[in-house]
Amino acid sequence: MNKMYKVLATASILALAAMPVAANAQQLPAQAVQKENANKQTDVKNVPATWGQITNFVQDKSDKFITVTGRGLAPTDQDEIILAITPKTKFIDAKGKTVPLQKIIDGRKTVKAFYSPNITKSLPARGTALTLVVQDQSFSAIDGKVTEVRDGRILVKGTDLYNKHDEEIWLHFADKATIIDQNRKAIAAGDIKEGMSVRAFYGPAVAMSLPPQSGTNYVIVNTEDTGSGETGSEDQELKAGTDGIITNTADGKVTVIGKAHEKGGVNYVVLSVDDKTQIVDEDGKALTKDALKADTRVDVYYSDIMLMIYPAQTHAGKIVVKKAETVKIEGTVKASDRTSADQVYVNVGSDDSIDNDVILNISKDTTIIPTLGGETALRAGTKIIAYHSPIMTKSIPGITNAEVVIVTSDKDAVQPK
């Protein structure tokens, strides 16, 4: 944090651990049930839910989806889930009063998102939203590493789960704090060691010391991580992966976007790379980190235990660098009578020339990464970066298959009528 904080009295700091943390309750408050449904809702504990904030909103031609990121109300519930919004989905406050979805998103409100038990086995899972209950109190969360353990508290350095800012905070354990490992089994605070990765929920009260301090009632600990990366020990099985393109490299991490492996993985992942990461070419020859450049095709392997923020983050176990060429364009989607269904015309360079423009075929194999709160529909006016097949027709403009499309701005996109 890049702010100067005033130090509070020691008694006030220690009292934070005893305060109720918003991430502690386990059931839907009675007021949250709509009056007309009160007689039907007899066992709310059986309704799965995720407690957190809306971290993504997507609207295509006919559907709306939100991503809720936080933690499951029960150990078997999802820490992150993509939920379809239907006409039956309710958005209410604790008194049962309707709250507009846009107000929840703009205000970064904390919600309990209740959804149908019928969810997919994807990562993150997908389901249908039943009721979102806006909470009176908010909480914060951090994904990071334990850098110090002292007197019943831990110092965590990492990234804020919601605003993605770098954070460092002392967390004091509440008397009845829930502390679980990566397998959702209860552990003691004394089992947490330096170097372990954690996701910890804290607040709403934060002592403005330096580093700041707060109480925590809910911590998820990766006990298998002892400092070699965000997740996993050296001998952990690499069950997941992504076949894609490195779109960014920074601070010992690479961003890979592409197709998730059939056995598991995500299409958008940030991977930390260290000395334990195996980097090879397609023939198995060892390579150095210098081979990991932006716009390089790779096949990456990693553990299925990961920090499920958006994008997901984990440690790279193995990276295979491919020889195949990547072709990248940057420009603005433009309305054109030259395109048919499932095609977009791209004004490459966003200039007045048509000689370098491209028509992209959009298929089920195309990975589209929208802006936060944006949509995957590529409307005229949307600014994009796209990777496409090196095979292109000789027409003007050329026609080719889009592999990865990253929406960089949709503020000027034409809205549907």
Side-chain angles (χ1 to χ4, degrees), residues 123 181-184 197 220-225 229-233 236-240 265 269 271 302-308 312-316:
L123 188 64
D181 66 12
Q182 66 279 2
N183 299 314
R184 295 303 192 265
S197 294
I220 305 171
V221 185
N222 185 356
T223 57
E224 295 180 347
D225 185 354
E230 271 77 358
T231 65
S233 58
Q236 211 171 28
E237 185 178 357
L238 305 177
K239 298 180 180 179
V269 64
L271 299 168
Y302 43 85
S303 166
D304 57 357
I305 301 172
M306 63 183 69
L307 302 180
M308 282 314 302
Q313 296 191 26
T314 188
H315 174 257

Side-chain angles (χ1 to χ4, degrees), residues 54-343:
I54 297 175
T55 53
N56 197 25
F57 172 67
V58 176
Q59 181 174 357
D60 57 23
K61 295 179 181 178
S62 59
D63 299 311
K64 294 181 181 179
F65 299 90
I66 59 172
T67 301
V68 181
T69 304
R71 64 97 167 170
L73 283 187
T76 55
D77 295 343
Q78 304 296 306
D79 292 338
E80 182 172 64
I81 188 166
I82 299 172
L83 297 173
I85 303 301
T86 74
K88 294 183 179 180
T89 302
K90 305 294 184 183
F91 302 93
I92 58 176
D93 61 20
K95 296 181 179 179
K97 183 179 179 180
T98 299
V99 181
L101 173 59
Q102 195 60 51
K103 184 176 181 180
I104 298 174
I105 296 174
D106 293 343
R108 297 183 179 274
K109 300 293 186 180
T110 296
V111 298
K112 290 179 185 175
F114 294 84
Y115 46 88
S116 168
N118 298 322
I119 62 175
T120 67
K121 295 182 179 180
S122 59
L123 188 64
R126 289 175 174 266
T128 301
L130 300 177
T131 302
L132 267 71
V133 184
V134 180
Q135 303 301 287
D136 293 333
Q137 288 186 323
S138 63
F139 61 78
S140 299
I142 184 172
D143 277 321
K145 286 185 176 293
V146 177
T147 58
E148 189 173 345
V149 179
R150 185 199 307 172
D151 301 329
R153 55 180 177 153
I154 55 176
L155 180 62
V156 181
K157 185 175 183 180
T159 305
D160 185 283
L161 180 62
Y162 300 114
N163 63 29
K164 303 301 185 286
H165 294 164
D166 292 338
E167 300 284 348
E168 185 175 30
I169 187 169
W170 278 105
L171 297 176
H172 299 254
F173 294 105
D175 290 340
K176 297 182 179 180
T178 298
I179 307 173
I180 57 177
D181 66 12
Q182 66 279 2
N183 299 314
R184 295 303 192 265
K185 294 182 179 179
I187 62 174
D191 295 327
I192 302 177
K193 309 297 181 184
E194 291 183 12
M196 289 182 175
S197 294
V198 299
R199 170 174 288 186
F201 297 85
Y202 62 90
V206 178
M208 299 306 172
S209 55
L210 190 63
Q213 304 189 40
S214 186
T216 179
N217 260 344
Y218 200 96
V219 183
I220 305 171
V221 185
N222 185 356
T223 57
E224 295 180 347
D225 185 354
T226 56
S228 61
E230 271 77 358
T231 65
S233 58
E234 184 178 8
D235 59 353
Q236 211 171 28
E237 185 178 357
L238 305 177
K239 298 180 180 179
T242 306
D243 185 359
I245 299 168
I246 296 176
T247 60
N248 186 55
T249 62
D251 302 324
K253 297 181 179 182
V254 297
T255 301
V256 178
I257 300 176
K259 294 180 63 177
H261 289 183
E262 290 185 2
K263 293 183 178 180
V266 292
N267 62 6
Y268 186 13
V269 64
V270 178
L271 299 168
S272 63
V273 180
D274 57 23
D275 294 338
K276 294 184 178 181
T277 303
Q278 182 185 5
I279 307 173
V280 297
D281 63 15
E282 292 175 288
D283 298 322
K285 180 181 177 181
L287 301 174
T288 67
K289 295 180 183 178
D290 294 336
L292 304 179
K293 302 180 184 298
D295 306 333
T296 300
R297 291 184 183 275
V298 291
D299 203 1
V300 296
Y301 299 82
Y302 43 85
S303 166
D304 57 357
I305 301 172
M306 63 183 69
L307 302 180
M308 282 314 302
I309 57 177
Y310 184 80
Q313 296 191 26
T314 188
H315 174 257
K318 181 179 180 180
I319 300 178
V320 179
V321 179
K322 297 184 176 182
K323 298 177 183 178
E325 177 188 3
T326 58
V327 185
K328 175 183 176 182
I329 59 172
E330 186 170 355
T332 304
V333 176
K334 181 180 178 181
S336 174
D337 56 8
R338 302 185 187 185
T339 58
S340 58
D342 300 322
Q343 286 185 325

